[in-house]
Amino acid sequence: MLIVTSNEIPGHRIDAVFGEVMGLTVRSRDIGSQMLAGFRSLGGGELPEMTKALYESRQEVMARMVNEAQQRGANAIVAMRFDTSEMGTNWTEVCAYGTAVYVLPLGEGEPGATGQSIYLTKTAAQQSSQQGQPTPPAPPAPPTQF
């Protein structure tokens, strides 16, 4: 699954939009980690217990968002963002959200193609020819705007 924070993916054409997808979790901090972090905060610096908890939360919500996008038939997520907020004194909400889309890499000679997209289209063509399958036709070029 390709996930980007931009609204477009260079070298790819968005072929279908499936709508917003998200992953959400609400976590409570355990008293031990909270007390240890409180003592560490007196001296300043990073709070590794809290960093680990936030990292794990972000990984969890990303996985949930990707799962929802895959269920809809998407192969990419654009405009991905994280959002966090405090709920009460010990709860933290972490949310990842974006727009689920189906993208096609642009082939050589297509306007907007990149080295990566050309490589992807050539690799896909080679894999289908090795499997004895006919090479799928190249997607039509987008209409030229004047």
Side-chain angles (χ1 to χ4, degrees), residues 37 54 81:
L54 184 57
R81 302 286 187 266

Side-chain angles (χ1 to χ4, degrees), residues 63-83:
R64 289 176 179 174
M65 178 184 62
V66 166
N67 184 45
E68 184 177 340
Q70 287 173 332
Q71 288 178 356
R72 294 187 187 189
N75 66 352
I77 298 172
V78 295
M80 184 272 181
R81 302 286 187 266
F82 281 112
D83 188 28

